[in-house]
Amino acid sequence: MLAEPHFKRRPGIWKMLMAAVCVALLSGLQAQDLPGQVSIILLGATGDLARKYLWQGLFHLYLEEVGKGHHFRFHGTALTSTEQGQEVIAKVLESLSCPRDMAPGHCAELKAQFQQLSEYRRLKTPEDYLALSKDIEAQVEHEGLRETGRIFYLSVPPFAYVDIARNINSSCRPGPGAWLRVVLEKPFGHDLHSAQQLAAELGSFFREEEMYRVDHYLGKQVVAQILPFRDQNRAALDGLWNRHHVERVEVVMKETLDAEGRTSFYEEYGVIRDVLQNHLTEVLTLVAMELPVNISSPEAVLQHKLQAFPALRGLQRHSAVLGQYQAYSGQVRRELQKPDSFHSLTPTFAGILVHIDNLRWEGVPFILMSGKVLDERVSYVRILFKNQAFCVQSEKHWVAAQSRCLPRQIIFHIGHGELGSPAVLVSRNLFRPALPSAGWKEVEGRPGLRLFGLPLSDYYAYSPVREQDAYSVLISHIFHCRKDSFVTTENLLASWAFWTPLLDSLAHEVPRLYPGGAENGQLLDFELSSGHLSFSQPLPEQLMPGLDSAPLPSDFQVLRAKYRESPLISAWPEELIARLAGDIEAAAVRAVRRFGEFHLALSGGSSPVALFQQLATGHYSFPWAHTHLWLVDERCVPLWDPESNFQGLQTHLLQHVRVPHYNVHPMPVHRRQRLCAEEDQGTQAYAEEISALVTNSSFDLVLLGMGADGHTASLFPQSPTGLDGEQLVVLTTSPSSPHRRMSLSLPLINRAQKVAVLVMGRMKREIAMLVSRVGHEPKKWPISGVLPDSGQLVWYMDYDAFLG
Ligand code: BG6
C-alpha cells in the first residue's frame, strides 16, 4: 500500500502550503498584470543610417504601438561624448515626421512624448553597459512597470560586433521573463569562411531566436508582398509558376549613384557582395521557393526558403559579366590614397545567370543584375511567361485582356523607375489577381506611361495605400517577432556557400569599363547562350588593354604533325575542341551509316568537359539516337557523387542531348550498395555487356586523356593491372583520391577502330615532351601502351601542352 501523503496527515501544513502557493500565484499574476516596458537601445545612434532611417523607424513604431499596452524607452548610444551625441540626437528627433494623414496637433503631441522618452548616452566600456542595465531596471521599478524586453539595434561596423555582443551578453541582458533581441546590419562576412567565423562568434553570445539580421530589401513593401501574392493567387499560379510556362526571371537593382565617399567599404566588397549575395538572393529565393501551406508561419517560410538553396546550380566564371564605371578607380585613388598607377578590379556592375536544378525551375534562366552609375534608379523582379500563341487578327485588333500575343508578365516593382512607386503589375492577358485585403489600392491610370513593353493600362496594377520605408517595416517586425523578415544564420551561410566559389574565380577578372549613365549605350548589354553570359558587344578599341604583343588564337592555324608516329592535331583549345568534336561526329555518322550504331567510350576528368559542352550545343546532326555511350573509367563512388565520371558526363552532355536511356552504359562501380567489391563482379558484368553489344568488343571510338604521370584511363604507372592479358575491364588503384577505380584494359582499348587522346594545358607540357621520346613502356607510362591493333590513333594537343 502506498503511504499517505504527508500533508494529508498534517492538515495544518496543507493549508499553509496552499496559502503560500496562492500568494506566489497572486504576486505572479500581479507582475503579469503590470504594464510592460520595452527598451530599445540603438547603437551607432549618431551615424548615417540611424539619422536617415532608424530614428524615424523607431518613431513610427511608437506611433503604431502607443496606447496598445506597452511603454517604451529609447536609448540612443554611440562612442561620441554625451554632449556631442545629445546635440546630434536632438536635431534628429526634431526632424521626425508623422504620416500624412495624421492631424498636426496630434503629431506634435506624440513627437514631444517620443522626445521625452528618448535619451543619448555614451556606451563604450563594460561598466557603461552595466550602468545602462541598472538604469533600465531602476526606472522600470520606479515607474511601477514590468520589463518586457530589450532590443539592441547594432548600426555599427561589423568589426565592433563581437565586443558589443560580449558586453550585452555579460552585463546587459534583461532579467528572467523578459526577452532580448539583437539586430544586426550587413555586411555579415566577406565570404563563406568569414561569415562562418562571425556566425560562430555571435552564436557564442546569443541564441538564434535572439538575433535579427537585417536585409532591408525584406522590409520593402513589394518584396514583402511576393509570398502573399503567390499565396492569394494560388489557383491562377499553380499551373503557371514553373518551367513549362516561365520564360525567364529577372531580378534587378539599377542605381544612378556612384560609390564616392564609401570606397573604403566598396573596394573590399564590390557589387556582388554588396547587393547580389544579400538583397537579390533574398528576392530570388522568395520567387523560387516552394510555397508553404501556411505562409503566416515564420518557421515554415524560413524552412522553405532555406530549401531553395541546394537546388541552385553552382556558378562558374562564365555565369557572370562584370563592369566598373570609369571614374571608380580615380575615386579609390583619392579616397584611399593609392598611387597613380593603381587600378581597381572591383566590379560596380554585375550580371549573373542562375539556374535552379529542380523540377519546377529546371532550364529557366534567372538573371540577377545590379550596377552603380547606370541610366536610371529602379528595382524590380520580372517574371516573363512563354508565349506560344499565334494570333490571326492583325495587331490593331489585339485586346489587352485577351490577346495571348501580347507579352505576359508579372512584375514586382520594388521601387523608383518611371512608375516612381512600389507596385505589383500583372499583365491583363494572364489573370486578374486578388488584391491584398488591406493597405493596397489599384494604381491610377497614367496615359502615355509604358512599362516593360506595355502601356500601364494593359496591367492589373496595385500599390500600397501608404508607402512605408523598409526600416520602419522591419523595426515593427522586430517588435512583433516576425522572424521570417530576417536572415537566419543557416540562410546566410547557404547564400555565402553559393556565392563564394564564383567570387573566388572572379577575383582577378578585369571588369569592363563603362562611362556611366545614358552614355553607357549598349556597352553593358549582355546575353545568354549555352548556359553562359557574355557582353553583346565586343569591347570598343579605345577601352581595350594593349594587345599588340600577345598573339590571338586566329593568328595560328591548326597544326598537323606526327607524335609518337601517329597523327597529331594541335591548335588553341577552342579550335582543338571544335576539331575533335567534328571528327567524333564524322566517325559517328560513318558508323551509323554502315552498321546502324556507334559505340563511343568516353573518359572523365576536366579535359573532356569542353568537348562534351561542344557536342551538346553545336552538333545538331549528331546521330545520338543510334549512339551507345560507354565509360573508359570510373571512380569507385556512387554515380550521383560529383566526383563520378558519369556525373560529369550527365551534367555536361547527357542532359542536353537525346541519347536513349538504354544506350547509356555507366560502369557498375556501385552494386549491392557496395563500391567496387571484387565479389560483386562489376568488371565481369561490364565486360559481358561490352561483348554482348559491341561487335568484337571493338569500340568505334575511344576518347582518352593523358595524366601528368603518364597514366591513361585509370591505368596508372607501376601498377600491372590492365596492361595486358585477357581481362577487358579491371579494378585499379590510383595514387590520388578516390583511390579505387574501374577501367577498360589496354588490350580492350587497343581493339578500338579509333583512339583519340586529348591533352590540354601547360601542366601537361612536361609529360608530353617525355612521352614523345619514350618507347613502348606501359608499366612506366601506361599511355605509351596505347597502340590500336588495327585501328587508328590520333593525338589532339593544344598549344600549351604541345609547345609550352
Ligand atoms: C545597400 C547597398 O545595401 O543597398 C548600397 O550597400 C545600395 O550600395 C543600397 O545603394 C540600395 O538600396 P535601395 O533601398 O536604395 O534600393
Side-chain angles (χ1 to χ4, degrees):
M1 202 178 108
L2 287 174
E4 233 185 10
H6 194 53
F7 55 77
K8 275 212 168 168
R9 280 182 277 135
R10 308 274 306 268
I13 294 186
W14 170 235
K15 266 190 200 153
M16 272 164 60
L17 207 68
M18 283 306 287
V21 169
C22 286
V23 170
L25 269 177
L26 223 89
S27 60
L29 269 182
Q30 277 165 359
Q32 215 43 46
D33 286 345
L34 291 176
Q37 170 169 295
V38 175
S39 307
I40 303 186
I41 301 103
L42 174 55
L43 293 95
T46 53
D48 221 33
L49 184 70
R51 280 183 287 139
K52 267 197 195 142
Y53 300 108
L54 301 181
W55 279 108
Q56 182 63 47
L58 294 177
F59 182 45
H60 182 263
L61 175 74
Y62 182 68
L63 296 180
E64 244 184 20
E65 298 299 327
V66 66
K68 291 192 189 165
H70 277 102
H71 289 238
F72 287 93
R73 283 285 170 154
F74 303 92
H75 306 268
T77 78
L79 304 178
T80 325
S81 71
T82 312
E83 232 168 70
Q84 270 181 337
Q86 275 170 342
E87 213 174 291
V88 178
I89 301 296
K91 269 197 207 138
V92 181
L93 296 183
E94 207 33 62
S95 68
L96 297 174
S97 60
C98 299
R100 253 186 271 148
D101 50 4
M102 185 179 274
H106 190 43
C107 171
E109 190 187 322
L110 290 171
K111 196 162 139 182
Q113 281 175 15
F114 182 77
Q115 284 166 336
Q116 277 255 307
L117 296 170
S118 304
E119 62 141 17
Y120 174 81
R121 62 158 68 209
R122 198 160 92 139
L123 201 58
K124 200 169 180 183
T125 63
E127 293 74 40
D128 292 339
Y129 282 83
L130 198 60
L132 170 64
S133 191
K134 295 259 171 278
D135 287 355
I136 293 176
E137 281 161 22
Q139 171 254 322
V140 165
E141 200 185 324
H142 176 73
E143 291 180 21
L145 302 171
R146 159 184 69 86
E147 188 166 8
T148 306
R150 295 181 189 177
I151 297 175
F152 286 85
Y153 198 123
L154 274 59
S155 174
V156 297
F159 64 78
Y161 282 175
V162 173
D163 265 351
I164 295 176
R166 185 176 299 111
N167 282 326
I168 296 175
N169 184 47
S170 57
S171 352
C172 226
R173 276 186 172 274
W179 45 252
L180 168 71
R181 290 179 197 153
V182 179
V183 188
L184 302 153
E185 277 286 340
K186 82 178 173 76
F188 309 117
H190 186 262
D191 53 15
L192 179 59
H193 179 67
S194 53
Q196 279 168 330
Q197 248 178 351
L198 181 61
E201 281 172 322
L202 291 172
S204 67
F205 300 117
F206 307 125
R207 294 194 304 275
E208 180 67 27
E209 66 269 24
E210 291 176 332
M211 286 186 278
Y212 287 69
R213 282 192 196 81
V214 169
D215 183 312
H216 80 281
Y217 261 61
L218 292 177
K220 302 240 176 201
Q221 285 166 296
V222 164
V223 175
Q225 183 58 21
I226 296 176
L227 290 187
F229 174 88
R230 290 182 56 188
D231 186 49
Q232 283 148 7
N233 294 289
R234 274 182 202 260
L237 289 175
D238 261 356
L240 283 177
W241 206 256
N242 57 49
R243 68 191 153 110
H244 304 297
H245 294 277
V246 175
E247 172 82 31
R248 69 194 213 187
V249 177
E250 301 166 354
V251 185
V252 169
M253 184 219 270
K254 287 172 67 176
E255 298 188 274
T256 48
L257 283 181
D258 62 14
E260 194 162 25
R262 58 195 290 251
T263 55
S264 63
F265 159 81
Y266 205 84
E267 184 53 8
E268 228 185 287
Y269 286 83
V271 65
I272 298 182
R273 291 183 171 89
D274 184 35
V275 166
L276 282 92
Q277 177 275 324
N278 37 68
H279 307 323
L280 301 198
T281 306
E282 288 298 320
V283 175
L284 165 83
T285 50
L286 290 174
V287 173
M289 67 188 255
E290 293 301 308
L291 205 53
V293 177
N294 176 8
I295 64 153
S296 39
S297 152
E299 296 77 30
V301 169
L302 289 171
Q303 195 57 32
H304 281 69
K305 219 168 134 192
L306 187 63
Q307 280 163 2
F309 282 95
L312 298 183
R313 188 186 301 168
L315 296 171
Q316 308 200 330
R317 224 168 54 94
H318 290 113
S319 317
V321 287
L322 301 181
Q324 184 191 82
Y325 64 85
Q326 269 167 353
Y328 179 74
S329 277
Q331 293 172 345
V332 176
R333 285 195 290 270
R334 269 198 307 285
E335 290 180 14
L336 306 184
Q337 277 99 48
K338 299 272 185 192
D340 286 351
S341 56
F342 176 83
H343 287 279
S344 166
L345 289 182
T346 305
T348 61
F349 166 88
I352 308 279
L353 173 62
V354 176
H355 276 287
I356 303 181
D357 288 328
N358 60 22
L359 278 181
R360 187 181 289 283
W361 294 119
E362 199 175 323
V364 179
F366 282 70
I367 297 164
L368 272 52
M369 190 275 266
S370 183
K372 301 244 179 237
V373 200
L374 300 181
D375 61 328
E376 61 169 343
R377 182 179 183 195
V378 66
S379 320
Y380 62 85
V381 188
R382 176 184 185 215
I383 294 116
L384 180 67
F385 292 86
K386 292 183 181 169
N387 211 331
Q388 281 138 345
F390 179 89
C391 294
V392 175
Q393 288 282 76
S394 70
E395 198 175 334
K396 59 179 181 283
H397 298 299
W398 292 357
V399 180
Q402 285 156 18
S403 175
R404 292 280 187 145
C405 286
L406 287 164
R408 301 194 303 153
Q409 50 198 348
I410 295 175
I411 291 131
F412 295 100
H413 195 269
I414 299 170
H416 309 287
E418 282 207 63
L419 189 59
S421 60
V424 179
L425 310 171
V426 179
S427 46
R428 285 182 185 264
N429 53 3
L430 263 179
F431 60 92
R432 176 190 272 278
L435 261 185
S437 42
W440 292 74
K441 61 172 176 28
E442 294 214 24
V443 174
E444 282 163 27
R446 301 248 302 265
L449 178 61
R450 289 182 73 83
L451 295 165
F452 304 94
L454 294 176
L456 180 60
S457 54
D458 280 8
Y459 294 98
Y460 296 110
Y462 59 92
S463 61
V465 174
R466 210 163 77 190
E467 269 187 51
Q468 266 186 28
D469 166 65
Y471 282 96
S472 298
V473 172
L474 290 179
I475 287 174
S476 160
H477 286 186
I478 296 162
F479 180 72
H480 290 288
C481 212
R482 291 266 313 268
K483 280 291 264 186
D484 50 330
S485 301
F486 300 87
V487 182
T488 62
T489 307
E490 277 183 302
N491 192 135
L492 174 76
L493 297 182
S495 172
W496 275 120
F498 174 63
W499 287 103
T500 302
L502 177 75
L503 286 163
D504 289 346
S505 72
L506 293 175
H508 305 291
E509 190 84 0
V510 182
R512 172 175 284 202
L513 291 179
Y514 58 93
E519 273 181 69
N520 289 339
Q522 270 75 56
L523 191 62
L524 294 178
D525 293 356
F526 56 89
E527 51 197 54
L528 291 78
S529 95
S530 349
H532 291 176
L533 279 195
S534 55
F535 284 116
S536 307
Q537 286 192 349
L539 203 54
E541 263 167 33
Q542 69 273 21
L543 295 178
M544 267 216 279
L547 277 175
D548 353 323
S549 49
L552 287 170
S554 51
D555 297 342
F556 292 81
Q557 296 298 315
V558 172
L559 195 81
R560 287 152 206 264
K562 290 255 168 189
Y563 181 84
R564 291 181 62 79
E565 292 173 20
S566 294
L568 164 76
I569 293 172
S570 195
W572 287 104
E574 243 172 71
E575 278 175 291
L576 185 74
I577 291 294
R579 172 66 194 260
L580 175 54
D583 289 353
I584 296 177
E585 179 173 346
V589 170
R590 254 194 326 272
V592 171
R593 201 177 296 136
R594 290 180 62 197
F595 310 112
E597 55 191 24
F598 176 58
H599 289 273
L600 173 63
L602 293 170
S603 293
S606 54
S607 293
V609 167
L611 173 70
F612 296 166
Q613 286 169 345
Q614 171 78 20
L615 286 172
T617 53
H619 289 259
Y620 301 104
S621 313
F622 202 105
W624 291 116
H626 304 284
T627 298
H628 282 254
L629 288 175
W630 302 85
L631 269 284
V632 160
D633 64 337
E634 186 53 284
R635 295 143 186 227
C636 294
V637 294
L639 293 186
W640 62 81
D641 190 297
E643 293 217 70
S644 146
N645 286 344
F646 182 72
Q647 189 55 239
L649 186 64
Q650 160 84 4
T651 310
H652 301 292
L653 183 63
L654 293 180
Q655 274 189 8
H656 313 283
V657 295
R658 304 269 177 275
V659 181
H661 290 181
Y662 42 84
N663 282 5
V664 179
H665 309 280
M667 277 188 157
V669 285
H670 196 193
R671 303 187 106 195
R672 301 195 189 114
Q673 305 197 0
R674 294 187 292 204
L675 292 168
C676 295
E678 293 271 5
E679 316 83 275
D680 293 337
Q681 306 198 330
T683 53
Q684 287 92 321
Y686 207 50
E688 277 163 26
E689 202 174 337
I690 295 169
S691 307
L693 295 175
V694 185
T695 314
N696 299 327
S697 301
S698 167
F699 290 111
D700 295 301
L701 200 149
V702 174
L703 174 74
L704 296 178
M706 173 166 75
D709 57 354
H711 82 259
T712 192
S714 274
L715 305 169
F716 296 94
Q718 317 302 346
S719 137
T721 338
L723 301 182
D724 45 28
E726 296 292 302
Q727 252 189 295
L728 300 185
V729 184
V730 290
L731 288 177
T732 65
T733 308
S734 158
S736 54
S737 159
H739 298 291
R740 293 191 308 142
R741 309 286 174 98
M742 190 178 283
S743 178
L744 304 188
S745 68
L746 261 189
L748 177 60
I749 291 170
N750 285 335
R751 280 199 209 180
Q753 302 298 311
K754 179 168 177 174
V755 178
V757 186
L758 176 62
V759 188
M760 305 225 298
R762 214 166 277 260
M763 305 269 287
K764 301 289 169 68
R765 171 75 193 123
E766 241 172 77
I767 189 71
M769 286 259 280
L770 182 73
V771 168
S772 72
R773 294 194 298 261
V774 304
H776 183 262
E777 292 189 69
K779 279 202 178 127
K780 278 196 187 160
W781 301 285
I783 187 74
S784 71
V786 175
L787 208 55
D789 307 332
S790 58
Q792 191 197 20
L793 168 64
V794 183
W795 297 84
Y796 293 82
M797 286 197 195
D798 72 352
Y799 288 138
D800 274 345
F802 182 57
L803 300 173

